[in-house]
Amino acid sequence: TGIVFTYNVPAWNTRRPNRMIAIEEDRFNCRIRSDAQGIYDWFGGLGPHLGDAEAAEKNLIANLWPLSVGHTARIAKNDPSSRFVDEIDYTVVAYGLARVPAGLFWIYKIKKDYYRENILYHTTTLWWSPTLKWTVRQWPEEPGKISQVGGYNWELLSISSQ
């Protein structure tokens, strides 16, 4: 706790690089304070803003551990306000080195594929560092669209203590 992770995407309210500060943690849940979004939980380093309603996704993330390449898990999410059933597929696709502005880290590369009616509509790739127990890069994409830095696409810029 007290570690400050700064990312290369500006916080909407400060226009400075967004800082996320680990303020409390247990086995999988980390409570953070973000310049852009206030205080919230970041579950397993892979799922921000997962509340009690997302118990199935929290369970899926917990069951990914210990991480190993090729490990995959899928859940179906049925939103009562929607007639669609969404599915989320987590896959650990690689283990290796990743270079981000904050340095070089050993990481697990994890893909989160989002499906609606069995059609892929969104992918978020996460580079998770076992050394930091934190995500060093997040890269969402939509099929057929060019992905670019900014918004929800970010990399770890620096690490410091509070």
Side-chain angles (χ1 to χ4, degrees), residues 8-144:
N8 65 348
V9 61
W12 67 270
N13 53 346
T14 66
R15 301 287 181 229
R16 294 188 316 254
N18 189 36
R19 295 175 308 149
M20 296 168 66
I21 302 165
I23 56 176
E24 182 183 339
E25 62 183 302
D26 62 24
R27 185 163 179 233
F28 286 109
N29 200 44
C30 182
R31 194 133 181 90
I32 64 170
R33 183 174 57 246
S34 162
D35 289 343
Q37 299 179 21
I39 294 176
Y40 61 94
D41 293 335
W42 190 291
F43 195 81
L46 306 176
H49 299 284
L50 294 180
D52 293 337
E54 288 87 14
E57 189 169 355
K58 284 182 174 182
N59 190 48
L60 178 144
I61 291 170
N63 287 333
L64 280 176
W65 264 260
L67 294 176
S68 62
V69 175
H71 195 172
T72 188
R74 178 179 279 210
I75 61 163
K77 294 177 82 171
N78 190 3
D79 181 355
S81 67
S82 172
R83 62 187 170 118
F84 300 109
V85 174
D86 289 337
E87 293 180 309
I88 303 174
D89 185 38
Y90 282 76
T91 304
V92 182
V93 295
Y95 179 76
L97 288 169
R99 183 175 304 280
V100 295
L104 190 63
F105 299 93
W106 285 99
I107 54 88
Y108 285 97
K109 185 177 179 181
I110 302 162
K111 284 183 64 174
K112 289 171 56 176
D113 289 327
Y114 297 81
Y115 296 87
R116 176 164 289 152
E117 302 295 304
N118 293 317
I119 297 171
L120 177 68
Y121 71 91
H122 186 84
T123 296
T124 297
T125 305
L126 302 165
W127 286 258
W128 188 84
S129 165
T131 304
L132 298 175
K133 296 181 182 168
W134 203 262
T135 302
V136 299
R137 179 183 292 143
Q138 172 178 284
W139 205 262
E141 301 173 73
E142 292 180 33

